Amino acid sequence: ADGGKLLVMPQDGSHWLSMHVVLEKLWEMGHEIVVVIPDATLLMKNSQSFTIKTYSVPYTQEFVERYY
């Protein structure tokens, strides 16, 4: 496949676990990936395979970790 640019806006949780594997493979194939995530998340973290852009949400990282 030819490398392309992808913009990804995933959901947190098990959806992210599956998508993260797909994004790693796409990166290996030459795609440039930007992932847009909230600034407080359960599982979504930085990776060398893609660029993270965050947006503000009305809850904190502490809240997410405590209640999930």
Side-chain angles (χ1 to χ4, degrees):
D2 291 332
K5 294 184 178 184
L6 299 170
L7 177 63
V8 180
M9 298 178 68
Q11 291 181 324
D12 212 344
S14 62
H15 174 76
W16 172 247
L17 296 176
S18 299
M19 178 165 281
H20 187 268
V21 174
V22 172
L23 295 179
E24 293 285 333
K25 293 295 182 187
L26 289 170
W27 176 76
E28 290 173 6
M29 294 170 55
H31 293 275
E32 181 181 333
I33 304 165
V34 175
V35 179
V36 181
I37 63 172
D39 55 9
T41 69
L42 185 60
L43 299 173
M44 296 185 276
K45 306 293 180 214
N46 288 335
S47 171
Q48 68 178 14
S49 303
F50 46 82
T51 303
I52 294 282
K53 299 290 183 182
T54 61
Y55 60 91
S56 297
V57 291
Y59 48 88
T60 64
Q61 184 66 36
E62 180 183 291
F63 173 84
V64 171
E65 291 171 0
R66 183 182 311 144
Y67 293 102
Y68 286 97

